[in-house]
Amino acid sequence: MHPRFAAVTKAYDVRGTTPDQLDAELALAFGRAYADEVGVSEGGGEVVVGHDMRDSSPELAAAIADGIRAQGGDVLLVGLASTDLLYAASGQLDLPGVMITASHNPAGYNGFKVCRAGARPIGLDTGLRTIAEAAGELLDQPAGALRGTLTERDFLEDYAELVVSLAPVSGRRLKVVVDAGNGMAGHTARAVLGRIDVDVVPLYFELDGTFPNHEANPLDSSTLVDLQAAVTEHGADLGLAFDGDADRCFVVDERAELVAPSAITALIGTRYLAQQPGATILHNVICSRAVPEIITEHGGTAIRTPVGHSLIKAEMARTDAVFGGEHSGHFYFRDFYLADSGMLAALHVMGALAESDGTVSQLMAQFSRYAASGEINSTVTDADEVIARLVETYADQEQDRLDGLTVTADTWWFNVRASNTEPLLRLNVEGDDEATMARVRDEVLELIRR
């Protein structure tokens, strides 16, 4: 692989800093190779292209489009888009798609997320490596004339109509604070929430790729402070925080406390099971053990998966699962082309709350059974050596290697996974109570950091 593409090609997308790693030249070559991979070269079809609000995104989108058109493919440009809007367009129109975004990364980054027709994912082992290798060979080859067509279409209202139809909200009127973080939820939330009976208190809806208020990364608890304060100030029923490309959503309850994504996975799972008894629900290896317990109690089939959207989407297709959740705030829906949508997850939570007489904390109490550490990162020089040490130390406990190392006992479990991109080990621990969790957490961290 060409060094420039080797530096930016990740497990699920292309991502790097601009303009030193990602620029129009690289995007043009990527567009050409992508067109060949998805079969639209020489008049073979059309690709939908969208982009986020980062300063570099329009230029990179134009270069991607030029690359597709240079190969003879046609381009449908939907302009400003959240990633799930791009997936909706790809699914509804049955076209392959490219989204220019760096998701939750800081302002200096950008990237490309790609899919086949029908929003089917493309990851490193399902086409992305092939595209990157071919693009590297095209870097120094002239693109030639643009033979394909370029059409523009605003897909925002189509997207809003789709997600609201999939998760209607009816019942009592809610007050919700929405923190868009100056990201793409500032573009999509008004269109979606304007279709339901809800009072919206907007925070940072202005599209600004410099993220002047805080990074659009709800996994970082410091970015939730303004949302939590606003929920308290306005006496809101709940708060929603979206990441930069709005494909992830985190929920804050009426007490301004974060609701665990595992609990949201269990809630949405039970909603689907009420409509489709016996359905299959996916959960990844770091979701709470409460998730498979609750799915089973409600008559469903729970299947545990590795972390990562392309893996989960493939497993959903294989098992015909109706829904899947990750503890990172990604939620996947069969009726949304197996794709992830933060907005659709938010609508499900609001729908459940509007139909109830209680608060978010009361609604979610039944889905929150155990004490969790949250994800803890440790810098290590040799991840394999550390994991081998843990395997030996906990040899008398149940272990599996579905994704990293998971060790399970009667009253606790932990998972350790190596980062795909950094010299880090990521630890998640859960226990029957806070004291058990803290004991195991400290014990495992001491072994990791020894």
Side-chain angles (χ1 to χ4, degrees):
M1 187 182 298
H2 191 286
R4 289 196 63 192
F5 277 97
V8 297
T9 304
K10 313 301 181 184
Y12 312 116
D13 58 13
V14 170
R15 201 173 301 191
T17 52
T18 57
D20 56 318
Q21 291 186 312
L22 291 185
D23 60 11
E25 178 187 36
L26 185 140
L28 179 71
F30 186 87
R32 294 174 66 191
Y34 172 80
D36 292 342
E37 173 66 22
V38 298
V40 301
S41 299
E42 305 305 330
E46 193 172 30
V47 174
V48 58
V49 176
H51 64 80
D52 70 11
M53 67 296 137
R54 293 168 188 268
D55 292 345
S56 58
S57 291
E59 179 186 18
L60 293 175
I64 289 266
D66 284 351
I68 295 166
R69 295 172 66 200
Q71 299 303 100
D74 298 328
V75 172
L76 176 64
L77 188 64
V78 295
L80 283 167
S82 60
T83 292
D84 64 335
L85 187 154
L86 187 281
Y87 290 149
S90 172
Q92 281 201 332
L93 303 174
D94 199 27
L95 299 176
V98 180
M99 176 69 189
I100 289 78
T101 183
S103 185
H104 62 279
N105 284 126
Y109 284 78
N110 217 322
F112 317 137
K113 293 183 177 181
V114 292
C115 61
R116 301 185 191 276
R120 288 178 294 145
I122 297 177
L124 193 63
D125 297 326
T126 54
L128 186 57
R129 179 184 285 109
T130 303
I131 296 168
E133 290 173 347
E137 296 176 2
L138 292 170
L139 265 176
D140 300 321
Q141 298 180 19
L146 304 183
R147 292 169 288 152
T149 62
L150 176 68
T151 308
E152 296 186 20
R153 174 179 171 183
D154 186 341
F155 206 78
L156 180 59
E157 293 304 321
D158 300 79
Y159 159 78
E161 181 179 356
L162 173 63
V163 293
V164 171
S165 72
L166 294 177
V169 178
S170 61
R172 60 192 170 105
R173 186 175 179 87
L174 303 174
K175 178 183 284 189
V176 55
V177 182
V178 179
D179 187 342
N182 299 111
M184 288 314 304
H187 180 63
T188 59
R190 291 191 195 279
V192 173
L193 301 183
R195 292 171 174 263
I196 64 175
D197 188 24
V198 61
D199 290 323
V200 177
V201 179
L203 286 183
Y204 314 136
F205 272 39
E206 304 78 20
L207 301 182
D208 190 335
T210 68
F211 304 112
N213 297 288
H214 59 71
E215 289 185 3
N217 179 17
L219 270 177
D220 179 351
S221 59
S222 69
T223 70
L224 300 175
V225 172
D226 292 352
L227 174 66
Q228 292 167 316
V231 167
T232 300
E233 176 187 350
H234 293 277
D237 294 295
L238 75 163
L240 304 173
F242 292 90
D243 68 344
D245 63 337
D247 62 351
R248 284 188 297 156
C249 180
F250 283 68
V251 178
V252 168
D253 69 18
E254 81 288 349
R255 306 168 303 177
E257 295 184 10
L258 180 66
V259 178
S262 285
I264 294 172
T265 299
L267 167 68
I268 299 175
T270 59
R271 283 169 62 82
Y272 274 103
L273 288 169
Q275 301 167 358
Q276 302 176 52
T280 296
I281 310 291
L282 305 186
H283 61 99
N284 73 15
V285 296
I286 57 174
C287 280
S288 170
R289 71 165 67 175
V291 175
E293 290 175 356
I294 291 165
I295 296 308
T296 301
E297 290 164 9
H298 283 75
T301 299
I303 295 181
R304 186 165 164 265
T305 75
V307 172
H309 81 97
S310 60
L311 300 172
I312 290 179
K313 290 171 182 176
E315 187 69 1
M316 287 188 78
R318 188 187 71 81
T319 61
D320 198 30
V322 298
F323 172 69
E326 291 198 89
H327 200 66
S328 58
H330 282 286
F331 303 99
Y332 307 83
F333 303 86
R334 186 177 68 188
D335 52 13
F336 191 71
Y337 312 107
L338 305 182
D340 42 330
S341 171
M343 190 64 71
L344 191 47
L347 289 170
H348 273 286
V349 174
M350 287 187 286
L353 181 62
E355 293 164 9
S356 76
D357 296 325
T359 63
V360 174
S361 60
Q362 291 168 338
L363 175 68
M364 303 307 298
Q366 61 186 305
F367 304 115
S368 305
R369 297 181 175 180
Y370 304 108
S373 66
E375 192 154 270
I376 304 169
N377 292 323
S378 301
T379 301
V380 296
T381 55
D382 189 336
D384 291 340
E385 179 185 338
V386 174
I387 289 177
R389 183 188 310 152
L390 294 172
V391 168
E392 182 179 357
T393 302
Y394 294 97
D396 57 340
Q397 304 292 347
E398 178 185 341
Q399 300 182 7
D400 74 69
R401 303 299 295 270
L402 178 63
D403 189 351
L405 170 68
T406 301
V407 176
T408 304
D410 290 339
T411 59
W412 54 265
W413 63 267
F414 73 81
N415 173 270
V416 177
R417 297 174 299 116
S419 166
N420 284 322
T421 57
E422 303 170 273
L424 297 175
L425 277 180
R426 308 189 191 280
L427 171 67
N428 285 269
V429 184
E430 186 174 73
D432 281 3
D433 51 53
E434 195 72 26
T436 301
M437 182 278 293
R439 175 182 60 80
V440 176
R441 175 198 65 203
D442 295 346
E443 182 180 277
V444 177
L445 278 177
E446 194 280 327
L447 288 165
I448 291 173
R449 297 173 176 176
R450 179 180 297 171

